[in-house]
Amino acid sequence: MADPNIALNKAAGASGYVLPYSSSRAVNGTLQPTSRWLCNTVPADMTVDLGATFVITAWTVRHMGTAGWANPDYNMCDYSLQGSNNNVNWVTIDSVVNNTAAITSRSIVGAYRYVKLNVTKGLRVNPQYASLMELEINGHPPNANLSSLAISSSSLTPTFNPTILAYTTAKVPYSTSSITVSAAAADPTSTIIVNGTVMTGGQSTVNLNVGANTINVLVNALDGVTTKNYTIIVEREQGAILSNLVISSGALNPIFSSNHLNYTTQNVVYDIKSVTVTPTTNIAGCAIKVNGNTATSNQPSTVNLNVGSNTINIAVTNGAASQTYTITVVRENSLYLDRVNLAYTGNRYTYSEVTYMNQTTLSYTVAVNSKANSVVITPIAEDNGASVTITSNGSSQTVASGVAFSAISLPNAVNTISLVVSKSGAIGTKNYTLSINRV
């Protein structure tokens, strides 16, 4: 529906007129031949005080051709419409050049109290004369109402009404980190600003903090003065989350984030039989359990490790909300030796023995008859996948667990042999020293 003629019967003035054809006759809604404005000096202008600032949406000039004068001779040629809010500073809104029509009607957008018709070229039959039957200005008062307002994930309380400014919603879960605000202005020329950002396309995304969030939906009417601020309070639940998670075995992969649940960390050597896990939450009321055992926020909890892959579960609960973080830790297999088999040979001399080892001692001494001049060593590792490198007399050789080394000469009374246990892909080594004394 078109806006009404807000210039009808409003106060009008002009740069000049020929009696009795004053400017007021051009805003009285009458199209009788004597009801017109006539000025015999061009350039000429006619001003209308709308009485208040209005949002202007269209303007129409009804020329003399609408009241019986010949077309197009008695229609004006060149003219423009200006707007002002103080009757001093003017802005050109629209212009018409080389007109021939009896009626010119244009859509425009602006917010003004005063309008001025400027004529720079008058009637075609006599350009020095300005005359028209009616100047119509269509518009409406500034309107800062919304026609609709809604958010995603929840409904408004109370139900939306343009006259109600304050709303709340049901709580949204912690997993809802943002919502979409949808709104439409009752006046399409108004601007909607959501939390300081101009809305485009009828929607705005708003990020939510934990707890109460106030969303301001400000409507600015086109006049720049008329405003209305709607508010929506959205409460995001605390949820069940950690703010930090640390493990003594090293950095987490990926880097910790409250919203990421599954992590790994670097492998630990066999000697590390336990790690500590320190979960932290900043949310009051959250309960934490590490592998089923109650834990305290920001305090370490000890977790024993089996050889191989270990999954550590950190369960966080807060009322009905819960979620579980996991850390996978791999404890590597043993690099210790279980025993070494020693087979001695010499001049008409053979002798075999087994030296058993433990995980607390890396240096061993054995005695053999001085007749022995060489030894074959077969290392047996606790992990069958390990390999052993032996160094003696300046040379080295490597064998798998359970495989005999080549014979090693025993030239001295005390012969020191190095045995280094390693495994492909594993961290570190175990370094043994075996001293064979010939007595």
Side-chain angles (χ1 to χ4, degrees), residues 94-411:
D94 197 10
S95 299
V96 177
V97 177
N98 197 28
N99 173 62
T100 59
I103 300 173
T104 55
S105 186
R106 301 279 195 97
S107 295
I108 55 175
V109 176
Y112 302 101
R113 172 173 175 169
Y114 303 92
V115 291
K116 180 188 290 187
L117 180 72
N118 287 309
V119 181
T120 54
K121 186 176 181 181
L123 304 177
R124 284 188 168 275
V125 69
N126 189 345
Q128 291 303 308
Y129 275 76
S131 185
L132 69 143
M133 302 305 301
E134 195 77 12
L135 172 64
E136 299 175 3
I137 305 295
N138 301 100
H140 56 266
N143 185 349
N145 285 336
L146 289 177
S147 60
S148 65
L149 178 64
I151 67 167
S152 59
S153 304
S154 189
S155 58
L156 299 181
T157 301
T159 302
F160 174 74
N161 184 305
T163 63
I164 299 175
L165 299 183
Y167 298 88
T168 60
T169 72
K171 289 183 180 180
V172 298
Y174 174 81
S175 58
T176 303
S177 59
S178 65
I179 61 168
T180 299
V181 177
S182 301
D187 183 351
T189 66
S190 296
T191 301
I192 302 174
I193 301 173
V194 178
N195 281 2
T197 301
V198 175
M199 175 181 282
T200 57
Q203 292 186 328
S204 291
T205 298
V206 177
N207 294 326
L208 298 178
N209 296 317
V210 170
N213 297 260
T214 299
I215 302 172
N216 292 294
V217 184
L218 177 65
V219 186
N220 286 336
L222 190 63
D223 66 345
V225 176
T226 305
T227 64
K228 187 169 284 189
N229 191 56
Y230 296 81
T231 61
I232 308 171
I233 296 178
V234 181
E235 184 172 353
R236 181 184 176 193
E237 291 181 338
Q238 296 283 342
I241 64 165
L242 295 178
S243 58
N244 198 15
L245 180 60
V246 175
I247 188 168
S248 60
S249 58
L252 295 178
N253 183 27
I255 295 172
F256 177 77
S257 168
S258 295
N259 297 322
H260 189 86
L261 298 181
N262 301 313
Y263 300 88
T264 61
T265 187
Q266 64 190 39
N267 291 3
V268 298
V269 296
Y270 174 83
D271 294 318
I272 296 178
K273 298 180 180 180
S274 66
V275 292
T276 60
V277 175
T278 305
T280 302
T281 180
N282 293 329
I283 300 173
C286 274
I288 306 173
K289 288 188 175 182
V290 176
N291 278 1
N293 298 312
T294 299
T296 302
S297 175
N298 204 33
Q299 295 298 316
S301 294
T302 300
V303 178
N304 294 327
L305 299 178
N306 297 315
V307 172
S309 181
N310 297 261
T311 299
I312 303 173
N313 295 300
I314 304 96
V316 188
T317 58
N318 184 10
S322 66
Q323 60 185 349
T324 299
Y325 298 81
T326 67
I327 306 175
T328 300
V329 184
V330 175
R331 180 186 173 200
E332 294 185 345
N333 289 349
S334 170
L335 291 180
Y336 287 103
L337 289 176
D338 176 70
R339 63 191 184 277
V340 291
N341 298 333
L342 304 172
Y344 299 100
T345 59
N347 183 20
R348 291 181 292 176
Y349 177 84
T350 60
Y351 176 72
S352 297
E353 66 175 322
V354 177
T355 297
Y356 289 93
M357 299 175 170
N358 59 66
Q359 294 183 358
T360 61
T361 304
L362 296 179
S363 295
Y364 295 85
T365 300
V366 295
V368 67
N369 192 288
S370 61
K371 295 180 180 179
N373 57 29
S374 67
V375 64
V376 174
I377 300 175
T378 303
I380 308 297
E382 291 184 358
D383 178 5
N384 291 332
S387 59
V388 182
T389 299
I390 189 168
T391 302
S392 178
N393 301 324
S395 63
S396 297
Q397 52 183 307
T398 301
V399 297
S401 173
V403 176
F405 286 102
S406 300
I408 299 169
S409 63
L410 302 173

